[in-house]
């Protein structure tokens, strides 16, 4: 099968987030960068499907020239090809991003053949618009379900893929006719680390480029700001196990006991 | 002109999130001087009518088509696009849950409108808003230019409160392509009955300091005594000690318990945004400077391996 994974370069999640002076960007000068976590799992999901069923996977990223780092990271864990949809690196709104990606995917498919499956992340770790994959899938006319934490071809009817979405009490099961699109979530798998061979392959891999541009949509970023800090006067209940009675007093007060 | 709330439900069960969306919708509609309407569809829609009225829907549009059944993002999204075209609301909104955001995005794609996800504050004219980035660790001031304004509210932005309205139900026939049932739920796998991580009144979490899969047993015991659930940090799931479904955080579950007991968790941003909906926080940590300790209501300084069993013992003693 042929799979396309969409990934976004983001400042490595987990660190404290500072804002640049112009209030337009996350200040990343002291941060490393990574593939947005859901999408990193999307890459792993594609590699696992290819390992089990054969075929080839391509990774695509829209962003500034430095997104090449994340494309090569994806190749190092098993993507066969990589494509950059170059931008000036400034944040794009979801409509613009989706329109440009749709154009790039159409052009790539015209040149190299259609994909059976296009894997997005559920949402990007940074802007978190929760919509780009859904807009692209709609423009491509393909079925799309977001929030996927399981993908499998086993037990699926010919030409379909089974997608599982985690809900509170378990899973919802979807059976999508391919070509299909999915938005995956972290937890669908544990992404592998690159092997030495993978690292070498990623260094040699050729960077493909797809020019695509679109009009800005109706949502614009005005500025970024830090949310109000939760200020808490922490009451220290004690040290070590001797604090247990004071803890249980609190639990009783809250009525959870 | 109305504020139309997309009533997310599962076979007639309205989640708290939909009630929050109605509560937020009332203040937005109040600012615009227009009524709140709700749109609901699919299997079990009729079971939601009474509650939608109770929480402020003046009118309830029951969208009907032979191709609307159990949840299908594409079919429900197309139905919503039809409803928006005929009802001409000025604002359409949902709660920023998995389904809420998915439906709004499906609607936005079909209606070719912008959609601003996970707002935490909305200006009275709905042309500017503050929204969540990084799962709530960063805020963005955004502007929105559109004839119909599509937004979702970040979960737990408001506490739901009832405010009875007429709740007049009318059927609205909509066109839904039969082909779009391709994304309908085919089956469900139920793994746990009863309370879940996102609904538990007590969550007992452990971080890297717990040390191993087996060392979570005392946390399980305490959670069981308190009728709660066990959660964990991303480091724990990355080590394979707990399933990802137990992860509290930006890329895991958002929790909102009465009390969150966070043990051996430093409180990195990625974790904090999943935990910040908790009504109270008790941190157990050896480091008094840990983020989780400074953000907690209460803290115990010490080794979780000693503190947790002591709490469990004390709980049992008081229960007799």
């Amino acid at each position: 099968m042929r799979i396309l994974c969409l990934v976004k370069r983001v400042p490595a999640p987990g660190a404290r987030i500072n804002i640049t002076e112009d209030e337009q960007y996350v200040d990343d000068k002291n941060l490393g960068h990574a593939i947005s976590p859901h999408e990193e799992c999307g890459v792993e999901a594609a590699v696992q499907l290819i390992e089990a069923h054969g075929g080839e996977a391509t990774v695509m990223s829209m962003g500034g020239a430095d997104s090449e780092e994340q494309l090569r990271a994806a190749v190092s864990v098993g993507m066969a090809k990589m494509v950059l949809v170059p931008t000036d690196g400034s944040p794009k709104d979801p409509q613009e991003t989706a329109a440009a990606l749709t154009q790039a995917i159409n052009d790539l498919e015209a040149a190299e053949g259609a994909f059976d499956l296009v894997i997005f992340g559920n949402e990007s770790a940074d802007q978190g618009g929760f919509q780009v994959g859904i807009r692209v899938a709609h423009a491509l006319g393909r079925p799309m379900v977001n929030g996927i934490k399981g993908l499998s071809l086993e037990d699926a009817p010919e030409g379909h893929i089974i997608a599982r979405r985690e809900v509170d009490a378990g899973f919802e099961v979807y059976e999508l006719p391919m070509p299909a699109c999915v938005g995956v979530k972290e937890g669908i798998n544990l992404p592998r680390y690159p092997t030495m061979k993978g690292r070498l392959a990623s260094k040699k891999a050729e960077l493909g480029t797809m020019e695509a541009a679109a009009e800005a949509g109706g949502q614009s970023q005005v500025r970024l700001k830090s949310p109000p800090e939760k200020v808490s006067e922490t009451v220290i209940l004690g040290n070590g196990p001797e604090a247990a009675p004071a803890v249980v007093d609190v639990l009783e007060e809250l009525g959870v006991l | 002109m109305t504020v139309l709330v997309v009533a997310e439900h599962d076979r007639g069960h309205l989640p708290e999130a939909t009630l929050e969306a109605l509560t937020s919708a009332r203040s937005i509609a109040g600012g615009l001087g227009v009524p709140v309407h709700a749109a609901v569809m699919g299997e079990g829609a009729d079971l939601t009518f009474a509650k939608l009225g109770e929480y402020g829907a003046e009118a309830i549009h029951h969208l009907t088509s032979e191709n609307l059944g159990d949840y299908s993002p594409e079919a429900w999204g197309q139905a919503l696009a039809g409803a928006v075209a005929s009802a001409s609301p000025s604002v359409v909104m949902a709660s920023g849950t998995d389904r809420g955001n998915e439906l709004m995005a499906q609607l936005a794609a079909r209606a070719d409108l912008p959609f601003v996800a996970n707002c935490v504050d909305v200006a009275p004219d709905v042309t500017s808003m503050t929204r969540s980035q990084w799962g709530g660790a960063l805020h963005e001031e955004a502007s929105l230019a559109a004839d119909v304004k599509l937004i979702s509210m970040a979960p737990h932005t408001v506490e739901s409160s009832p405010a009875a309205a007429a709740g007049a139900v009318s059927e609205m026939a909509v066109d839904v392509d039969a082909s779009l049932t391709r994304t309908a739920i085919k089956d469900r796998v139920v793994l746990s009955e009863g309370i879940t991580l996102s609904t538990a009144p007590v969550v007992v979490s452990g971080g890297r300091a717990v040390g191993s899969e087996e060392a979570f047993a005392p946390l399980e015991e305490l959670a069981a005594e308190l009728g709660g659930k066990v959660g964990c940090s991303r480091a724990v799931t990355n080590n394979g000690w707990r399933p990802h479904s137990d992860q509290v955080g930006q890329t895991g579950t958002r929790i909102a318990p009465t009390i969150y007991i966070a043990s051996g968790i430093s409180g990195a941003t990625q974790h904090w945004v999943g935990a910040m909906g908790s009504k109270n926080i008790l941190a157990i940590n050896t480091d008094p400077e840990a983020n989780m300790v400074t953000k907690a209501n209460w803290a115990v300084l010490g080794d979780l391996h000693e503190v947790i069993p002591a709490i469990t013992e004390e709980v049992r003693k008081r229960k007799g």
Side-chain angles (χ1 to χ4, degrees):
Chain A
M1 68 188 305
R2 284 173 45 77
I3 304 177
L4 177 67
C5 289
L6 280 295
V7 304
K8 183 176 184 184
R9 171 186 170 91
V10 299
R16 196 189 146 72
I17 297 169
N18 295 313
I19 302 165
T20 54
E21 221 160 86
D22 65 4
E23 301 182 312
Q24 293 302 316
Y25 297 90
V26 168
D27 186 355
D28 58 2
K29 66 175 183 288
N30 296 318
L31 296 175
H33 289 80
I35 296 175
S36 189
H38 294 316
E39 292 148 24
E40 187 186 2
C41 294
V43 167
E44 176 65 29
V47 172
Q48 289 182 10
L49 284 168
I50 297 293
E51 281 173 347
H53 305 284
E56 187 182 84
T58 299
V59 60
M60 177 184 275
S61 185
M62 178 171 159
D66 43 15
S67 297
E68 183 177 340
E69 181 190 347
Q70 279 59 50
L71 289 171
R72 291 201 186 273
V75 170
S76 76
V77 291
M79 295 285 109
K81 292 178 181 166
M82 57 179 176
V83 177
L84 178 67
V85 183
T87 72
D88 60 4
S90 66
K92 305 298 177 201
D93 74 82
Q95 285 172 294
E96 181 177 354
T97 305
L101 284 176
T102 302
Q103 191 192 328
I105 294 170
N106 276 327
D107 291 349
L108 183 61
E109 289 195 326
E112 298 188 2
F115 293 101
D116 302 296
L117 185 64
V118 181
I119 302 180
F120 298 88
N122 189 69
E123 90 278 0
S124 61
D126 55 354
Q127 286 171 286
F130 288 82
Q131 57 191 285
V132 168
I134 292 168
R135 288 184 186 272
V136 173
H138 175 66
L140 296 173
R142 296 178 198 174
M144 164 81 186
V145 181
N146 223 10
I148 295 306
K149 279 178 101 171
L151 281 173
S152 131
L153 292 176
E154 280 98 37
D155 305 320
E158 180 68 30
H160 288 64
I161 186 160
I162 290 178
R164 303 208 307 172
R165 162 140 120 181
E166 192 177 56
V167 290
D168 255 0
F171 286 97
E172 294 166 351
V173 182
Y174 297 86
E175 200 176 85
L176 306 176
M178 294 192 283
C181 301
V182 291
V184 300
K185 272 192 175 179
E186 185 182 88
I188 186 172
N189 51 45
L190 266 182
R192 71 191 65 190
Y193 291 102
T195 58
M196 190 49 76
K197 196 174 148 215
R199 280 182 207 277
L200 287 174
S202 74
K203 282 196 180 115
K204 284 188 208 143
E206 193 188 330
L207 177 70
T209 304
M210 280 281 163
E211 296 289 340
E215 303 259 309
Q219 174 185 343
S220 325
Q221 174 178 307
V222 177
R223 69 181 190 106
L224 301 176
K225 58 186 182 184
S226 295
E229 282 268 339
K230 182 184 155 83
V231 186
S232 194
E233 283 288 314
T234 309
V235 176
I236 305 291
L237 295 174
N239 289 285
E242 288 74 38
V247 170
V248 181
D249 288 346
V250 166
L251 298 177
E252 280 184 335
E253 235 170 83
L254 294 174
V256 295
L257 201 62
Chain B
M1 302 300 255
T2 59
V3 171
L4 182 67
V5 174
V6 176
E8 172 194 343
H9 71 101
D10 190 66
R11 294 166 297 171
H13 171 73
L14 278 176
E16 180 62 24
T18 303
L19 307 181
E20 287 178 7
L22 281 162
T23 305
S24 295
R26 295 202 308 263
S27 44
I28 290 171
L32 293 170
V34 301
V36 173
H37 288 191
V40 63
M41 73 194 97
E43 193 181 327
D46 53 322
L47 301 173
T48 70
F49 296 159
K51 210 151 198 192
L52 294 176
E54 240 170 79
Y55 278 78
E58 291 290 344
I60 297 164
H61 304 292
H62 180 203
L63 313 187
T64 57
S65 156
E66 58 180 1
N67 295 318
L68 288 172
D70 201 351
Y71 181 69
S72 157
E74 289 191 297
W76 286 34
Q78 193 184 37
L80 277 176
V84 167
S86 40
S88 308
S90 28
V91 176
V92 185
M93 58 186 289
S95 181
T97 58
D98 280 355
R99 273 194 193 182
N101 279 332
E102 182 173 51
L103 284 173
M104 292 303 296
Q106 284 283 352
L107 164 60
R110 286 160 206 284
D112 196 20
L113 286 167
F115 158 48
V116 186
N118 292 334
C119 299
V120 295
D121 192 26
V122 180
D125 63 357
V126 201
T127 59
S128 63
M129 54 276 296
T130 301
R131 62 177 297 272
S132 275
Q133 286 200 8
W134 290 94
L138 188 64
H139 282 174
E140 171 194 346
E141 282 179 13
S143 68
L144 172 60
D147 296 337
V148 184
K149 297 179 177 67
L150 311 189
I151 61 171
S152 70
M153 299 300 297
H156 312 310
T157 300
V158 296
E159 259 191 65
S160 71
S161 64
V169 182
S170 60
E171 287 212 352
M172 183 188 278
V174 287
D175 289 327
V176 176
D177 300 343
S179 66
L180 296 186
T181 57
R182 66 192 178 183
T183 53
I185 294 174
K186 198 92 186 162
D187 197 8
R188 284 179 169 80
V189 179
V190 177
L191 296 178
S192 65
E193 300 280 359
I195 60 157
T196 62
L197 194 56
S198 63
T199 60
V202 179
V203 174
V204 182
S205 263
R208 196 194 303 273
V210 176
S212 69
E213 184 180 340
E214 298 72 31
F216 270 88
L219 279 72
E220 291 279 5
E221 278 182 49
L222 177 58
E225 286 295 338
L226 299 172
K229 290 296 240 189
V230 169
C232 66
S233 70
R234 191 158 180 250
V236 168
T237 48
N238 280 348
N239 276 315
W241 299 341
R242 305 282 306 180
H244 189 275
S245 51
D246 287 354
Q247 183 183 311
V248 173
Q250 184 185 348
T251 50
T253 301
R254 308 301 179 87
I255 58 168
T258 304
I259 184 162
Y260 181 46
I261 303 177
S263 67
I265 294 180
S266 63
T269 304
Q270 128 86 237
H271 184 79
W272 172 250
V273 295
M276 65 187 179
S278 306
K279 290 170 195 75
N280 297 281
I281 296 176
L282 167 72
I284 301 170
N285 211 296
T286 51
D287 176 9
E289 302 300 321
N291 249 332
M292 196 48 96
V293 173
T294 59
K295 285 177 170 163
N297 304 79
W298 304 280
V300 174
L301 302 178
D303 182 352
L304 70 102
H305 300 96
E306 295 169 7
V307 177
I308 297 259
I311 298 172
T312 308
E313 200 187 308
E314 181 70 19
V315 168
R316 285 180 179 148
K317 207 163 81 191
R318 295 205 199 177
K319 278 179 165 180

